[in-house]
Amino acid sequence: MKKYSDWFKVDLHIHTDYSKQTKTNDYQGHFDINVLKGKLIENDVKLFSLTDHNIINVDAYKNYYSNYTDGDPKLLIGCEFDIEVPESHKTITYHSVIVFENDDFEDVEEISNKIEELYSKKGISKTERKITIDDLYDLFNEYNYFFIPHAGNTKSILDPYIGYDMKLCQQMVLLMPSAFEKVKESVRQTYNEGFDRIKTLDFQDKDDIPYINFSDNHNCNSYPCTNKNGDNHEFYCIKGQPTFESIRFAFIDPKSRIKKFSEVEVLMRFDNFLHSVQFENNPVIENTTLYFSPNLNTIIGGRSSGKSLLFNILGKKINNKKSQIEKYGLDITNAEVKSFLDDDYKPIINYNTNDIIYINQGDIVNYFENNSLKDLIIESGEIENYKVALETFKTKKSDLTTLVDKLIELYSELYDVLNSNFTFHDRDITSVLDSSYIFKGIVDIEDNTDSFQASNDLLVQLKYNTEKFKSNENWTFTLEELETIKVFTDLVDSKSLLFDNVTSNYKKKVEFIEGLKQIISDKNSNLDLKGREKEASNQRLLMLNKNIFNAFKIAKKVENHCALFENLVYGGIEEIRINDEVAVVLEVESSESIKAKIIEGLSNISSPNLSLYQVLIKLALGEMKIKNLVPNSSENLAKKTTTQVKGILDLFDKPIEYLKYSEDSTSKNNSPGFNSEKYLQTILKSGNSKIIFIDQPEDNLGNKFITEKLIDLLRDLKFKKQIFLVTHNPSIVVYGDAENIIMCTNTENKIKYEQFVLEEKEHQKEICTVLDGGQYIFEQRARKYNIKKLIQ
């Protein structure tokens, strides 16, 4: 038997040949309990009942009990009754299977005797046997039993009540530990709607009415089919241990604990979930082997009982970097683990990083405080979009760095030009105005070198790509299309020829002007002293003009570039959609002025209202200083500016991360509790991991969120992922219907780990002693109906 709640086949409606005593020709063939046992084992049925019509085959029960060994299918005492409803004044009866908690020799005889005495007192023959609900109450009020009527088929419980009092029928069913057998899928909705009208509001619109079908087998040799039509029975499964209490839990919570075998097959896990951990010869932990459910595993216990220790041991054993086992100072070398796919235990299991979610206590709130939601992004499968977003910010940083570098580069030119020679001497003026003659120079032709190179590159590319386009293997061309390509090729060729003429003429002009300059220079060098002096002065005048022109030209470039910094918004937002309700936002806030940061690095500011352009002009002219650096060179300005804007540029390396919710609010303006709820809900719903570890997920979560959202998430998710939760919250354990509960106790610094299941009564008591409010939660779990209201 597995130590955790797992699915097992159940068949609580099997006939023996005793049914022929009360229903003529009701059984086919010869009944043999050993043949049936073999068939049950062959079909992997773990729990069954023999339910003859209005009679109990005591001998079959005794035979089975006397030969029972551990591992055999477990047999509960049962009977199928014909039940009449005298108040309806109808002669028809309905069938209901009654299955008792009892499973021993004495009880079989006692229950059988009660049944026989009742019919004897009523003077009813075997073939006419029937019973009322009041008779059942009187006979079996000291027993625990299940009432499982037929519904939606022959001998349905509805038949006697139709036209009489259907609500009375529903109330009776609800007041008993009841399930429905033989219900067609098509009529379940009608049943649910009827029961919803008399359930309390908090249990309405829930899929919590138990429906379960059994074989109703009448020939053990052809088990599991019936004798009606020979069709193979579709087995149903119950989750838990093969016990009466497991059935009770299943009837209380059918959505989590009753499924067709075909549905269970779909839920079967074959991924590499964590199978077990083995502790041997540990100085602190008692020797034990813990087996893990592939579904929901909860770790509970009192203070310092070893809950988080076990959590971190498992983290270490799956090689998760977030395990904090080191803080315990405990040698766990002898603890070994095994995964579902492993044959033997090993010191460590290496899972892929994206297979595991591992959240320590307090991590979720820390994610927001540290502005890092990367774990959520990875788990949601959006890591590539995250990388793209980070690259976008790197590009923005590069663009901003280029903008600042360009400013320094322009300042360098401005600094050089403003510190150039702007002097024109009196002697030069006299020489320029002298009557001596000279040969005047010719203005240079515009330099088209870059333009010509770009045009030439374009023509080369066009010709190359046109040929590649024509010969591409992934498409073909019609004759008309080929003609279009030829026309375009001819156009490119004609432009190329024209361009050759333009460059040739330009080259001739350049050569002509350069030759003419040389002639003028030669002639001027042969002039008299006055003429040569006038030539020199004219050259200095040309240089002065050039310096002045360059000063204005550079100043204008600086002014235009500085304008970009005046109201520069350098940050940005990148949004990564996780699901319809939540997005992760990466943001760099443009909270500081780059202009202000640059100016902060300077001294002797004459006015706070100066533009950056005015500041740089004054700096280049020496009217302002760079703090702690001399002179005002571009190199020193670059050093100071780098220091000043470093904090802003660093923002792009780690953008602020926060959640944006569908209601247009964000985690920046919500409480830690609300954000934790949204984070946990998102990472559970959107995840693509295989195993989830969370230490105390209820931290910072509201009870309403836990009971209304988290529980439903866990109940759905646990059949898709293996979950480990350290928790103090009874709702998570009980309403979450945990398949495996690990109880941690610490006695005189010796830690003991035990495995519990919810369907074990003794385990329920211990769970209640550890979890505050546990008893209340167990009681509420079964509180579907307002009993006082029904009785009234």
Side-chain angles (χ1 to χ4, degrees):
M1 183 183 295
K2 292 182 178 177
K3 289 191 175 182
Y4 55 83
S5 302
D6 200 8
W7 298 100
F8 64 90
K9 289 180 183 176
V10 60
D11 191 353
L12 300 180
H13 192 168
I14 300 174
H15 288 269
T16 79
D17 51 7
Y18 262 47
S19 286
K20 289 195 293 186
Q21 297 182 30
T22 57
K23 303 283 183 181
T24 306
N25 298 322
D26 192 68
Y27 196 84
Q28 297 179 348
H30 172 71
F31 177 78
D32 186 326
I33 189 64
N34 293 316
V35 170
L36 177 62
K37 179 179 179 179
K39 294 286 187 177
L40 292 171
I41 293 173
E42 179 184 326
N43 286 275
D44 200 29
V45 176
K46 301 295 185 185
L47 185 66
F48 74 107
S49 182
L50 301 177
T51 50
D52 289 306
H53 286 293
N54 307 303
I55 195 170
I56 291 180
N57 187 340
V58 175
D59 292 337
Y61 277 97
K62 284 189 174 182
N63 185 321
Y64 193 85
Y65 289 147
S66 62
N67 294 291
Y68 179 84
T69 58
D70 287 343
D72 286 346
K74 187 170 183 178
L75 172 60
L76 297 178
I77 301 170
C79 186
E80 181 178 13
F81 288 100
D82 282 64
I83 302 177
E84 64 175 340
V85 183
E87 299 87 352
S88 71
H89 303 294
K90 294 182 180 180
T91 58
I92 59 175
T93 60
Y94 66 90
H95 286 183
S96 181
V97 171
I98 305 296
V99 177
F100 297 89
E101 183 178 19
N102 312 67
D103 58 358
D104 59 38
F105 300 129
E106 292 77 10
D107 289 331
V108 171
E109 290 184 328
E110 185 175 298
I111 292 171
S112 177
N113 289 337
K114 284 179 176 287
I115 294 171
E116 295 303 321
E117 287 173 9
L118 173 71
Y119 289 126
S120 177
K121 283 182 181 179
K122 288 191 172 188
I124 303 175
S125 67
K126 282 188 176 182
T127 57
E128 298 295 326
R129 287 183 173 185
K130 54 188 176 181
I131 195 171
T132 68
I133 288 294
D134 288 343
D135 291 334
L136 285 176
Y137 290 156
D138 292 339
L139 277 181
F140 305 126
N141 59 58
E142 62 190 88
Y143 295 93
N144 288 325
Y145 62 87
F146 296 121
F147 177 74
I148 311 174
H150 284 195
N153 75 332
T154 305
K155 297 293 183 178
S156 168
I157 188 174
L158 296 184
D159 296 338
Y161 287 94
I162 291 175
Y164 166 55
D165 191 343
M166 189 57 64
K167 187 175 181 181
L168 178 63
C169 169
Q170 292 165 344
Q171 290 174 347
M172 179 197 67
V173 170
L174 294 181
L175 284 167
M176 302 176 74
S178 176
F180 286 124
E181 185 190 7
K182 302 294 182 185
V183 178
K184 294 180 180 179
E185 298 283 350
S186 59
V187 299
R188 290 192 182 192
Q189 184 62 34
T190 304
Y191 278 75
N192 288 343
E193 290 172 357
F195 286 113
D196 266 358
R197 286 191 285 270
I198 54 176
K199 287 192 295 187
T200 56
L201 286 175
D202 50 341
F203 279 94
Q204 290 180 7
D205 298 320
K206 292 183 181 293
D207 191 8
D208 61 353
I209 298 297
Y211 301 99
I212 184 166
N213 289 348
F214 308 120
S215 70
D216 195 7
N217 178 265
H218 290 68
N219 184 352
C220 67
N221 293 288
S222 61
Y223 183 85
C225 70
T226 70
N227 68 329
K228 303 290 194 304
N229 49 33
D231 291 340
N232 281 332
H233 164 63
E234 182 178 16
F235 281 104
Y236 272 62
C237 293
I238 283 176
K239 189 180 69 181
Q241 313 292 320
T243 63
F244 184 88
E245 187 68 3
S246 287
I247 303 173
R248 189 177 76 84
F249 260 65
F251 288 176
I252 291 172
D253 190 358
K255 189 173 182 180
S256 179
R257 288 189 172 243
I258 299 178
K259 292 186 186 296
K260 295 177 183 177
F261 179 67
S262 58
E263 295 172 326
V264 171
E265 284 185 305
V266 173
L267 297 178
M268 288 181 181
R269 301 279 295 281
F270 302 103
D271 54 339
N272 201 24
F273 60 82
L274 196 57
H275 177 273
S276 54
V277 62
Q278 193 174 65
F279 294 102
E280 289 185 355
N281 302 320
N282 189 285
V284 174
I285 302 170
E286 284 191 11
N287 290 353
T288 188
T289 300
L290 299 176
Y291 298 90
F292 303 122
S293 165
N295 309 127
L296 178 57
N297 301 269
T298 57
I299 303 171
I300 67 173
R303 287 181 176 275
S304 302
S305 59
K307 302 185 300 299
S308 291
L309 171 62
L310 177 59
F311 182 85
N312 283 283
I313 289 173
L314 295 179
K316 184 67 175 178
K317 290 299 175 180
I318 60 170
N319 203 25
N320 191 278
K321 295 178 180 178
K322 294 178 67 178
S323 170
Q324 300 174 346
I325 190 63
E326 291 77 14
K327 72 180 183 181
Y328 295 92
L330 178 65
D331 181 7
I332 57 170
T333 306
N334 290 338
E336 294 191 319
V337 285
K338 186 166 82 169
S339 74
F340 173 71
L341 299 180
D342 288 327
D343 293 326
D344 299 305
Y345 286 93
K346 55 179 64 173
I348 201 162
I349 299 173
N350 289 305
Y351 286 100
N352 295 326
T353 303
N354 58 1
D355 283 345
I356 306 292
I357 296 176
Y358 192 90
I359 301 177
N360 286 304
Q361 186 177 359
D363 269 357
I364 296 177
V365 172
N366 291 337
Y367 291 146
F368 293 99
E369 292 176 350
N370 297 331
N371 295 321
S372 177
L373 299 171
K374 187 176 179 181
D375 284 355
L376 173 61
I377 293 165
I378 292 173
E379 172 57 16
S380 302
E382 297 293 336
I383 189 63
E384 291 305 318
N385 287 332
Y386 181 71
K387 290 177 181 177
V388 169
L390 292 180
E391 284 300 319
T392 300
F393 283 112
K394 287 182 181 178
T395 301
K396 288 177 180 285
K397 178 182 180 180
S398 177
D399 291 344
L400 184 56
T401 302
T402 301
L403 203 63
V404 173
D405 290 345
K406 183 64 176 178
L407 182 70
I408 302 300
E409 179 186 324
L410 289 173
Y411 173 77
S412 177
E413 295 181 42
L414 180 67
Y415 182 80
D416 289 343
V417 76
L418 291 185
N419 288 282
S420 298
N421 185 10
F422 292 96
T423 304
F424 199 58
H425 299 278
D426 289 340
R427 185 169 176 173
D428 285 327
I429 295 172
T430 302
S431 294
V432 168
L433 297 177
D434 190 88
S435 59
S436 300
Y437 74 90
I438 61 170
F439 295 98
K440 300 268 301 195
I442 297 177
V443 177
D444 289 337
I445 190 171
E446 182 181 358
D447 186 0
N448 286 341
T449 304
D450 292 341
S451 174
F452 285 163
Q453 185 61 49
S455 298
N456 184 69
D457 292 344
L458 178 60
L459 288 169
V460 171
Q461 278 299 114
L462 282 173
K463 290 178 180 179
Y464 174 77
N465 286 332
T466 302
E467 287 303 315
K468 294 284 285 183
F469 179 63
K470 278 176 62 178
S471 60
N472 190 281
E473 68 273 12
N474 293 315
W475 52 72
T476 58
F477 298 100
T478 64
L479 291 175
E480 185 179 355
E481 290 169 338
L482 287 171
E483 182 61 30
T484 302
I485 296 172
K486 184 178 182 304
V487 170
F488 178 74
T489 303
D490 292 343
L491 175 63
V492 174
D493 289 340
S494 67
K495 292 299 179 185
S496 179
L497 186 60
L498 179 63
F499 178 64
D500 288 342
N501 292 333
V502 170
T503 56
S504 177
N505 290 335
Y506 176 80
K507 184 178 180 181
K508 291 174 182 177
K509 287 180 183 179
V510 171
E511 290 173 350
F512 172 76
I513 290 172
E514 289 300 322
L516 196 56
K517 281 183 178 181
Q518 186 61 45
I519 293 170
I520 291 172
S521 178
D522 291 344
K523 293 298 180 183
N524 281 335
S525 65
N526 294 323
L527 295 176
D528 60 15
L529 183 61
K530 286 284 188 180
R532 293 200 306 274
E533 189 174 354
K534 183 173 183 176
E535 166 63 9
S537 295
N538 269 288
Q539 289 297 328
R540 283 191 286 274
L541 180 58
L542 285 173
M543 182 57 69
L544 177 61
N545 286 336
K546 187 176 182 179
N547 287 347
I548 293 171
F549 176 81
N550 285 339
F552 280 104
K553 182 181 177 181
I554 295 301
K556 187 61 180 175
K557 285 184 180 180
V558 173
E559 183 180 27
N560 291 339
H561 197 71
C562 285
L564 301 176
F565 289 87
E566 290 300 323
N567 296 298
L568 178 63
V569 178
Y570 52 81
I573 288 177
E574 292 294 317
E575 191 171 300
I576 302 170
R577 178 59 54 182
I578 302 299
N579 55 43
D580 292 339
E581 297 180 1
V582 175
V584 173
V585 177
L586 278 66
E587 180 179 13
V588 171
E589 295 179 324
S590 188
S591 56
E592 291 188 275
S593 165
I594 290 195
K595 168 194 168 182
K597 294 299 293 184
I598 294 173
I599 294 176
E600 280 178 15
L602 310 177
S603 58
N604 298 345
I605 309 294
S606 58
S607 170
N609 298 319
L610 292 176
S611 67
L612 181 58
Y613 167 66
Q614 292 171 319
V615 167
L616 293 184
I617 291 290
K618 290 180 176 292
L619 185 66
L621 293 173
E623 298 176 19
M624 297 171 60
K625 300 293 181 184
I626 301 173
K627 289 180 179 177
N628 304 320
L629 292 173
V630 178
N632 292 344
S633 64
S634 59
E635 292 79 9
N636 285 339
L637 181 61
K639 290 178 184 177
K640 179 59 67 175
T641 302
T642 299
T643 302
Q644 291 297 114
V645 301
K646 183 179 184 303
I648 291 175
L649 292 175
D650 286 347
L651 296 176
F652 290 89
D653 295 328
K654 193 172 182 182
I656 296 171
E657 298 172 8
Y658 58 89
L659 294 183
K660 179 182 177 182
Y661 309 127
S662 57
E663 58 270 23
D664 288 333
S665 65
T666 71
S667 57
K668 292 199 296 186
N669 51 25
N670 274 293
S671 68
F674 183 86
N675 290 333
S676 297
E677 291 172 4
K678 285 290 188 179
Y679 183 97
L680 193 57
Q681 189 175 2
T682 302
I683 202 168
L684 292 177
K685 286 174 67 175
S686 306
N688 51 23
S689 64
K690 303 291 191 303
I691 308 176
I692 297 175
F693 289 84
I694 308 178
D695 191 352
Q696 298 189 40
E698 64 266 28
D699 287 0
N700 297 299
L701 303 181
N703 283 330
K704 184 177 181 182
F705 171 79
I706 292 174
T707 56
E708 293 184 2
K709 292 184 179 179
L710 180 59
I711 299 301
D712 286 342
L713 269 175
L714 291 175
R715 285 168 64 94
D716 176 64
L717 192 68
K718 68 183 180 177
F719 294 122
K720 302 169 186 174
K721 305 170 186 286
Q722 186 178 35
I723 304 174
F724 292 84
L725 301 180
V726 177
T727 184
H728 293 284
N729 191 295
S731 295
I732 290 175
V733 177
V734 181
Y735 289 156
D737 199 34
E739 282 75 14
N740 183 31
I741 301 161
I742 299 173
M743 175 68 77
C744 311
T745 54
N746 187 342
T747 305
E748 297 180 353
N749 293 322
K750 192 70 172 179
I751 293 173
K752 182 179 181 180
Y753 294 128
E754 298 176 274
Q755 286 186 249
F756 287 176
V757 288
L758 288 171
E759 61 272 11
E760 175 61 53
K761 288 184 178 180
E762 291 303 315
H763 292 174
Q764 292 170 16
K765 294 176 183 177
E766 294 202 46
I767 291 167
C768 289
T769 62
V770 169
L771 299 178
D772 292 338
Q775 182 64 44
Y776 172 78
I777 295 298
F778 271 108
E779 292 170 357
Q780 289 295 94
R781 192 177 194 271
R783 190 189 61 81
K784 294 179 188 175
Y785 324 111
N786 187 333
I787 300 301
K788 289 183 179 178
K789 176 182 174 184
L790 291 182
I791 292 173
Q792 292 170 357

